[in-house]
Amino acid sequence: MFKLPRHETKTLLAIHGWSGVLLGLLLYAVICTGVAAVFASELNDWASPLPHATVSADLPPGLDDAIRRLANEVDPQFHEEVAVYRGAGGRLNLLFHRHENGPDGRPTERGVEFELDPVSFAPLDRREGWLEEIEAQRASTGVADFLVNLHVRLHIPDPWGLFVTGVLGLAMMVAAVTGLVIHRHLLRDLFTMRLGRDAVLRRRDVHVVAGSWNLPFAFILAFTGSFFSFATSVGLPALAMVKFGGDQQALFETLSGAPRAEDPRPARLTNVDAILADARSRSNAEPNFLSITHYGRADSMATVYTELPADELVYSSYVYDGPTGTFIREAPPMGTRPSVGASLVGLMYPLHFGNFGGALSKAVWVGLGFTGAYVTLTGMLLWAKRREEQPAWRRMARFIHYVGYGLPLALVCAPYAFFILRDSDIPAATSQGVAFLTVAALTAVAAVTTRDMDRLRRRLLAATGIALLGLPVVRLATGGLGWMQALEHGIAAVPCVDAALMIVGVASLWVALGRRVRMALPTRVEGQIKSEPQAT
Amino acid sequence: MRRTGRIIRMSDQPAHAESVRAEARSFTREPNGAAVPDLADQDGGAFFCTQQNAMTHRQPKLPAQQGGRLRAWMRGLLAGPLALVAACLIMAGGALWVPPGAAQINNLVLPIVLFPLLWSALFLYACLDRKLGRAYAIIGALAVVNGLLLSLHLIR
């Protein structure tokens, strides 16, 4: 299909392989956590459901009273902006805050966040401080936050974590492009599976077929992921420096539409429930985020964001005058009127998160993401396999096995700490981080002491399967909702996620106990290379 | 003496490499058994080879090979950090020369959105252009032009 000169093909092949090998392990971690993070909201509902029936609306009627009541409880300086959005299990989060530069000089927010019961609007929790401190105190979203933080920035402090994941996205994009171009017969490669006795050839074909089918998706994910990482860590600061003398807040205001003229006179905010009802009727979609600027002032504005309407790929927001509730405009993702740039930014979200078609599109995104992780792992294993005669590459192959099969195990074990220590004062991120690192360390010992890498792979897969099967049990044992109780309350996430964990757990055990040796490296015996059996 | 020894040992390499390629071809057979030259053959060895790869034995380097290594490092420097710097400069400079459009934000949004594609394109170009000097010149020119634009803008 692509008839490139020999030299260029050779170069692209080298780029394809080395881009995967040098950054593949980190990329694999980002992809694995990204697969799980697609269902972050459902994971939170599963881990921290409310003990009673909840409401279907993300921003339910009755919110107006709650906002007024809580506004009186916070310092007026935090009336600069109020953000209202859905939390774990349908809880309501209300963040009263102001925009400031943080201790590190970077723009951030400071204020008070309330967590409310969505039915009674009774406060469940109160958190205050810098945004990062508030996020660390959000116990109910601990499970998904841990995964998302690992996915977005590998738990490396900003902006370096974002920069690293941005480079990983670029590496993935380069691997996808070169992976496409080095195909001499793309159509044939899409369907070629040689299922003979040669394990390496078979594994190579599965890698090529899975990678070929996954190429467009890999490119989309890499491109959008790089955009999200670099936009905030590099792009916005650079453009703020060029156009606004380094004032990022001015850049944000330009991108989100020019702010209204200052009018600090007191003015009562109109009924928020009426604004939400109007936005619901205009968009034919459910509002899921409300922002009120300058609460209690004459220049206040309310902006309502909704879920993606059924026939749209780019979201809009609905802007209202605060004191009167007058509809001002339907705003694109950026700026005040439609533009190419705004549409492109709006497309980034559904393409990266896969949330444009509800649970079905998310499930497809998970499947494609899993394929991407498989291609990354098998690509690294094949690359190491080719160089197995060199001791360094044999060590590398062992390390790839360790990360490839140990990382899922450590990720599955982290929520154990969340459930067991959820009532303690230890932050969810800390307890899960310690559990993750502990399991990673134990797995490292196993990786060093287990001589046969196929046995190591089987043990880690079996341990992952057992950990997956045990997670629903631990959740129940630590006070979680039972299936019947959850179904009575209309909380489908609890039985669904439990069932998914058990299915994947059984599948892991099945693979671990199934056919032996797919592509084991040879074992060195008295200076000779002795091949492992191909199959038993 | 040492140089002579290197030359003698290197003279064995073509035959050695050919045997490796022969092994590599054995892994690129079609289902009907017909041997086809595949990617493996283009890599100077098998990409997915399972057998012993004699190319992996360490060999002393000739001066020409040492020059090739320097060239590879220079290409890596251009494709990696320098292309990244150039892409950053083009992105930042784009705020000045990309038309803002009716919404007055395209010049702020498009450079950021297209930055990953920009870096990838520069990376691949730096890897593929056979004339390394030309690649340095083109990427350098892009970086310098945008750098000058930014400097003039910031000075004003």
Side-chain angles (χ1 to χ4, degrees):
Chain A
M1 182 172 176
F2 296 100
K3 296 194 182 303
L4 289 176
R6 181 189 178 91
H7 173 268
E8 276 71 22
T9 305
K10 182 180 166 186
T11 304
L12 287 169
L13 187 61
I15 294 169
H16 181 76
W18 284 107
S19 63
V21 166
L22 291 177
L23 298 170
L25 290 173
L26 288 174
L27 187 59
Y28 176 74
V30 171
I31 296 174
C32 283
T33 49
V35 168
V38 169
F39 280 109
S41 173
E42 288 77 5
L43 282 175
N44 281 332
D45 293 351
W46 163 77
S48 306
L50 288 165
H52 56 71
T54 183
V55 290
S56 59
D58 287 352
L59 303 179
L63 189 59
D64 185 71
D65 286 342
I67 292 175
R68 291 181 202 285
R69 173 167 47 87
L70 295 172
N72 292 327
E73 295 181 17
V74 302
D75 189 327
Q77 66 169 322
F78 298 133
H79 290 180
E80 184 177 307
E81 185 171 353
V82 188
V84 187
Y85 57 97
R86 183 188 191 276
R91 293 167 175 80
L92 271 174
N93 286 331
L94 280 78
L95 175 61
F96 292 82
H97 64 281
R98 55 181 287 129
H99 299 273
E100 294 181 11
N101 284 335
D104 58 356
R106 290 164 49 81
T108 184
E109 294 153 17
R110 185 168 67 88
V112 182
E113 184 176 74
F114 296 93
E115 190 174 279
L116 304 184
D117 185 302
V119 177
S120 65
F121 295 99
L124 301 172
D125 195 10
R126 176 189 167 114
R127 309 176 270 261
E128 56 185 284
W130 295 101
L131 182 62
E132 294 73 18
E133 295 168 344
I134 289 173
E135 287 173 341
Q137 297 170 55
R138 282 184 196 140
S140 58
T141 57
V143 171
D145 284 352
F146 182 78
L147 285 170
V148 171
N149 216 341
L150 195 53
H151 173 66
V152 171
R153 55 182 68 85
L154 293 170
H155 287 288
I156 302 171
D158 283 340
W160 304 110
L162 289 171
F163 191 77
V164 170
T165 51
V167 170
L168 292 175
L170 293 173
M172 185 172 168
M173 197 155 58
V174 165
V177 171
T178 52
L180 173 69
V181 178
I182 59 178
H183 279 289
R184 290 188 310 136
H185 308 286
L186 180 61
L187 290 178
R188 194 180 68 183
D189 289 345
L190 285 171
F191 301 99
T192 300
M193 290 279 281
R194 286 164 285 190
L195 301 175
R197 277 184 58 81
D198 190 321
V200 176
L201 200 56
R202 188 169 62 242
R203 182 66 68 91
R204 184 253 194 207
D205 281 349
V206 174
H207 171 82
V208 171
V209 169
S212 301
W213 283 101
N214 207 43
L215 272 174
F217 180 72
F219 183 85
I220 288 171
L221 272 198
F223 176 49
T224 53
S226 289
F227 162 75
F228 284 121
S229 289
F230 279 125
T232 49
S233 63
V234 177
L236 290 175
L239 265 61
M241 183 62 69
V242 174
K243 296 295 284 186
F244 300 96
D247 185 354
Q248 290 190 44
Q249 195 59 40
L251 175 63
F252 294 146
E253 287 176 355
T254 303
L255 291 176
S256 59
R260 306 179 92 177
E262 289 273 325
D263 187 351
R265 289 175 298 162
R268 180 182 166 84
L269 181 72
T270 190
N271 189 306
V272 168
D273 295 332
I275 287 178
L276 292 172
D278 185 77
R280 197 174 284 121
S281 66
R282 287 178 188 276
S283 64
N284 289 321
E286 193 57 37
N288 60 6
F289 191 94
L290 168 67
S291 164
I292 303 167
T293 53
H294 295 162
Y295 175 87
R297 288 178 23 166
D299 56 353
S300 75
M301 284 201 310
T303 307
V304 181
Y305 297 82
T306 67
E307 296 170 348
L308 270 179
D311 54 348
E312 298 283 346
L313 264 183
V314 177
Y315 69 90
S316 299
S317 56
Y318 301 84
V319 184
Y320 296 85
D321 177 66
T324 64
T326 307
F327 177 69
I328 298 176
R329 65 173 178 270
E330 180 181 342
M334 293 275 171
T336 55
R337 62 171 76 176
S339 64
V340 174
S343 298
L344 283 176
V345 170
L347 272 176
M348 295 287 168
Y349 291 87
L351 289 179
H352 193 77
F353 301 118
N355 59 355
F356 52 86
L360 179 62
S361 62
K362 284 185 176 181
V364 171
W365 249 234
V366 166
L368 292 169
F370 178 81
T371 307
Y374 174 82
V375 170
T376 306
L377 181 60
T378 53
M380 288 186 293
L381 286 172
L382 286 163
W383 189 265
K385 176 77 179 167
R386 180 197 164 196
R387 294 156 175 80
E388 67 190 7
E389 295 315 307
Q390 297 180 50
W393 280 105
R394 292 177 63 80
R395 286 194 290 272
M396 182 65 182
R398 184 173 292 276
F399 191 63
I400 293 170
H401 273 82
Y402 162 58
V403 176
Y405 299 102
L407 177 74
L409 174 61
L411 286 175
V412 173
C413 289
Y416 277 80
F418 172 82
F419 288 121
I420 294 169
L421 299 172
R422 69 191 311 172
D423 293 329
S424 72
D425 293 334
I426 303 172
T430 304
S431 62
Q432 291 184 94
V434 170
F436 178 88
L437 292 176
T438 304
V439 174
L442 293 173
T443 309
V445 173
V448 171
T449 54
T450 307
R451 192 157 166 268
D452 178 19
M453 272 185 268
D454 186 61
R455 186 170 297 139
L456 172 66
R457 179 184 72 91
R458 287 162 167 277
R459 286 178 177 175
L460 293 179
L461 272 173
T464 305
I466 293 168
L468 283 164
L469 290 172
L471 208 43
V473 178
V474 170
R475 185 189 65 76
L476 272 172
T478 52
L481 279 182
W483 284 20
M484 293 309 295
Q485 197 180 2
L487 289 173
E488 283 172 11
H489 296 334
I491 306 171
V494 170
C496 286
V497 175
D498 274 350
L501 291 173
M502 288 192 285
I503 290 170
V504 179
V506 169
S508 298
L509 281 175
W510 183 76
V511 174
L513 303 174
R515 287 177 54 189
R516 182 178 151 65
V517 182
R518 302 282 164 81
M519 197 182 67
L521 291 174
T523 305
R524 189 170 291 279
V525 179
E526 294 177 0
Q528 294 181 333
I529 300 297
K530 178 184 177 184
S531 292
E532 294 278 355
Q534 291 294 307
T536 56
Chain B
M1 288 295 289
R2 182 174 292 177
R3 180 173 298 177
T4 306
R6 283 181 182 171
I7 292 170
I8 290 170
R9 288 168 70 177
M10 285 303 297
S11 67
D12 296 336
Q13 192 169 328
H16 206 123
E18 183 52 43
S19 67
V20 172
R21 291 195 186 94
E23 285 183 353
R25 290 191 190 101
S26 67
F27 288 91
T28 56
R29 288 180 185 277
E30 294 292 82
N32 60 9
V36 291
D38 205 346
L39 294 175
D41 195 35
Q42 299 170 5
D43 195 21
F47 183 49
F48 298 112
C49 179
T50 60
Q51 301 300 311
Q52 292 187 34
N53 188 339
M55 288 291 280
T56 59
H57 293 311
R58 293 182 183 280
Q59 300 282 356
K61 298 289 182 286
L62 286 171
Q65 282 181 308
Q66 289 166 348
R69 174 165 289 188
L70 175 66
R71 192 176 168 79
W73 276 104
M74 293 295 288
R75 193 178 289 280
L77 181 69
L78 178 64
L82 294 183
L84 185 60
V85 170
C88 286
L89 285 171
I90 296 170
M91 177 187 66
L96 303 175
W97 53 260
V98 171
Q104 298 293 307
I105 61 165
N106 279 349
N107 61 327
L108 301 176
V109 175
L110 288 179
I112 297 178
V113 171
L114 298 179
F115 173 75
L117 289 179
L118 193 59
W119 184 86
S120 300
L122 292 178
F123 173 87
L124 288 173
Y125 169 67
C127 290
L128 289 175
D129 194 335
R130 292 193 181 194
K131 295 183 177 176
L132 187 56
R134 182 173 61 191
Y136 262 94
I138 290 177
I139 293 176
L142 286 171
V144 167
V145 167
N146 281 278
L148 281 173
L149 272 176
L150 289 168
S151 302
L152 289 172
H153 174 78
L154 292 174
I155 288 170
R156 277 190 299 172

